[in-house]
Amino acid sequence: MIEKISCDIHGSKEMSFTCIHIATAIDSKKQVGFFYSEAEEDLPQIAWCGSCEQYLLDNGEEWTETFQSLADFKMLCSDCFEESKNNEAEAHLR
């Protein structure tokens, strides 16, 4: 079961994660790209921006400590995650 978090906007929702670039683009509605993985049974959804995707492609697509530091993943509620995804012109399932 995916843990629930309390969102100031949406209340109690399932936890998800996005890179810092997506998280900071929420309020401005700036499009930064949206690459994501489907939620697995007990794991929350996770998304990263176009810049983070390019870093992965340029570095063997491995989620190294360097990548995770660059992405600086932030916790969002599932509704904020969906709003971020819907803000983008395209979302890419990986």
Side-chain angles (χ1 to χ4, degrees):
M1 178 176 196
I2 298 173
E3 188 176 329
K4 296 217 177 216
I5 62 169
S6 179
C7 174
D8 291 342
I9 298 168
H10 302 107
S12 180
K13 298 290 179 177
E14 287 186 349
M15 174 179 22
S16 66
F17 292 91
T18 67
C19 72
I20 185 71
H21 312 108
I22 291 173
T24 57
I26 289 173
D27 291 336
S28 69
K29 304 283 189 219
K30 180 180 175 186
Q31 293 188 342
V32 295
F34 199 93
F35 295 81
Y36 70 106
S37 65
E38 283 290 353
E40 296 181 21
E41 187 174 315
D42 289 334
L43 298 174
Q45 282 192 297
I46 189 166
W48 54 98
C49 70
S51 294
C52 287
E53 174 70 2
Q54 191 60 56
Y55 179 88
L56 284 170
L57 293 174
D58 292 345
N59 292 280
E61 299 188 47
E62 291 189 38
W63 286 53
T64 62
E65 285 184 38
T66 302
F67 169 70
Q68 291 181 53
S69 178
L70 171 76
D72 191 17
F73 287 99
K74 302 298 179 192
M75 191 181 335
L76 298 179
C77 83
S78 56
D79 284 2
C80 287
F81 184 97
E82 287 301 315
E83 286 178 18
S84 297
K85 183 173 148 185
N86 292 335
N87 180 56
E88 295 291 332
E90 293 182 36
H92 306 275
L93 179 61
R94 297 262 284 133

